[in-house]
Amino acid sequence: MNDCLFCKIIAGEIPSTKVYEDEYVFAFRDINPQAPVHVLVLPKEHICCADKIDETNSMLVAKCFEAVAKIAKAEGLTNGYRVVNNCGADGGQTVKHLHFHILGGKKLDETMA
Ligand code: AMP
Ligand code: ZN
């Protein structure tokens, strides 16, 4: 996906503040943080959105959530945090590469929508 911003970040073509990387997963700090800790966790393989998760690629989602737990510990989020996925236009997705937001470091607003 040559025109995908997050594929370019994974490839190192666009700089990011990396916080975690393994064989399957890449994670970096959001450029416009909505909380004291705001990290984006994504599969290295390009999947456009949560709507395209199926039996062929769901292992990558599991790997993302394994990474979420590691990152949360590394970031000191001992009192909890929120994991968010925005899917499609109504969900507010702006970058069409599946990613999970880790938000934490403060008591988050209880509003979900
Ligand atoms: P979403 O709206 O769920 O698609 O989330 C996309 C997120 O990517 C937003 O929170 C942006 O602030 C973030 N973002 C966009 N460009 C960059 C970038 N170059 N580096 C880090 N985060 C970015
Ligand atoms: Zn991509």
Side-chain angles (χ1 to χ4, degrees), residues 80-112:
Y81 52 93
R82 183 171 292 157
V83 180
V84 173
N85 170 257
N86 298 323
C87 180
D90 279 5
Q93 184 177 8
T94 59
V95 180
K96 305 289 189 293
H97 182 130
L98 177 67
H99 55 279
F100 301 97
H101 300 250
I102 303 175
L103 295 156
K106 69 172 186 180
K107 175 85 174 107
L108 296 166
D109 194 316
E110 290 176 15
T111 305
M112 291 287 287

Side-chain angles (χ1 to χ4, degrees), residues 1 4-7 46-47 96-97:
M1 284 287 163
C4 173
L5 172 66
F6 286 177
C7 281
H46 183 90
I47 301 169
K96 305 289 189 293
H97 182 130

Side-chain angles (χ1 to χ4, degrees), residues 10 13 20 31 33 39 41 54 57 65 82 85 92 94 105 111:
I10 293 164
E13 295 167 14
Y20 179 84
I31 204 166
V39 173
V41 182
D54 62 23
N57 59 23
F65 275 79
R82 183 171 292 157
N85 170 257
T94 59
T111 305

Side-chain angles (χ1 to χ4, degrees), residues 10-112:
I10 293 164
E13 295 167 14
I14 292 175
S16 70
T17 306
K18 184 172 78 172
V19 299
Y20 179 84
E21 181 176 13
D22 65 27
E23 184 180 352
Y24 303 105
V25 177
F26 197 90
F28 53 95
R29 296 197 191 282
D30 197 292
I31 204 166
N32 183 25
Q34 305 296 309
V37 175
H38 188 170
V39 173
L40 303 176
V41 182
L42 45 147
K44 287 182 169 177
E45 180 178 313
H46 183 90
I47 301 169
C48 78
C49 55
D51 201 44
K52 300 297 184 204
I53 297 168
D54 62 23
E55 67 278 4
T56 71
N57 59 23
S58 59
M59 178 272 279
L60 298 171
V61 178
K63 291 294 179 189
C64 283
F65 275 79
E66 289 177 27
V68 165
K70 291 177 189 169
I71 293 163
K73 286 184 183 66
E75 295 289 326
L77 302 179
T78 53
N79 208 37
Y81 52 93
R82 183 171 292 157
V83 180
V84 173
N85 170 257
N86 298 323
C87 180
D90 279 5
Q93 184 177 8
T94 59
V95 180
K96 305 289 189 293
H97 182 130
L98 177 67
H99 55 279
F100 301 97
H101 300 250
I102 303 175
L103 295 156
K106 69 172 186 180
K107 175 85 174 107
L108 296 166
D109 194 316
E110 290 176 15
T111 305
M112 291 287 287

